[in-house]
C-alpha cells in the first residue's frame, strides 16, 4: 500500500470519527440545555466551578497522556460553549 492510499484511508477514518464526535457533542449540548433550564427554574448560577473541575479531572484521568494538554484545551472550549448555551435560554 502506497503513501497516498494510506493517507486516503486514514482521512476516511478521520471523517467517520469526526461524524461520531459531532453527534456526541450535539448530544452533550442538548443535555447542557436541559440542565440550564433546570438551573433557570431554581435560580442556580450557570457556572459551577466544582463541576467543571470534576469534569476536567475525569478528562485528565481518561485521556491519552501523549495528548492530555490538547484534549484538556478542547474540553475547556466545550465547557465554555456549554455555558454560552445555558446563558441563551429564554423563559
Amino acid at each position: 500500500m502506497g503513501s497516498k492510499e494510506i493517507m486516503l484511508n486514514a482521512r476516511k477514518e478521520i471523517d467517520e470519527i469526526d461524524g461520531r464526535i459531532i453527534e456526541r457533542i450535539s448530544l452533550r449540548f442538548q443535555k447542557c440545555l436541559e440542565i440550564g433550564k433546570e438551573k433557570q427554574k431554581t435560580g442556580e448560577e450557570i457556572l459551577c466551578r466544582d463541576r467543571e473541575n470534576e469534569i476536567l479531572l475525569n478528562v485528565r484521568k481518561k485521556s491519552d497522556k501523549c495528548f492530555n494538554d490538547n484534549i484538556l484545551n478542547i474540553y475547556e472550549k466545550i465547557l465554555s460553549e456549554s455555558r454560552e448555551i445555558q446563558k441563551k435560554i429564554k423563559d
Side-chain angles (χ1 to χ4, degrees), residues 9-49:
N9 288 337
R11 287 177 177 155
K12 182 179 178 186
E13 287 182 47
I14 286 172
D15 290 344
E16 291 170 5
I17 292 166
D18 286 346
R20 292 193 306 266
I21 290 170
I22 291 165
E23 288 174 6
R24 303 305 285 181
I25 290 174
S26 294
L27 179 59
R28 188 186 197 291
F29 285 160
Q30 289 171 7
K31 293 300 174 185
C32 288
L33 186 61
E34 185 180 321
I35 290 168
K37 288 177 182 177
E38 295 304 313
K39 285 180 179 180
Q40 187 180 46
K41 288 180 190 175
T42 62
E44 190 176 331
E45 293 290 323
I46 290 171
L47 175 62
C48 181
R49 184 61 66 195

Side-chain angles (χ1 to χ4, degrees), residues 63-78:
S63 66
D64 184 324
K65 301 302 177 218
C66 183
F67 304 114
N68 199 284
D69 289 340
N70 307 94
I71 294 170
L72 284 172
N73 289 339
I74 291 166
Y75 254 86
E76 287 172 357
K77 182 63 175 171
I78 290 171

Side-chain angles (χ1 to χ4, degrees), residues 52-63:
E52 288 195 8
N53 287 338
E54 178 185 342
I55 290 167
L56 293 173
L57 181 62
N58 286 335
V59 169
R60 186 175 285 114
K61 287 178 183 176
K62 293 177 182 180
S63 66

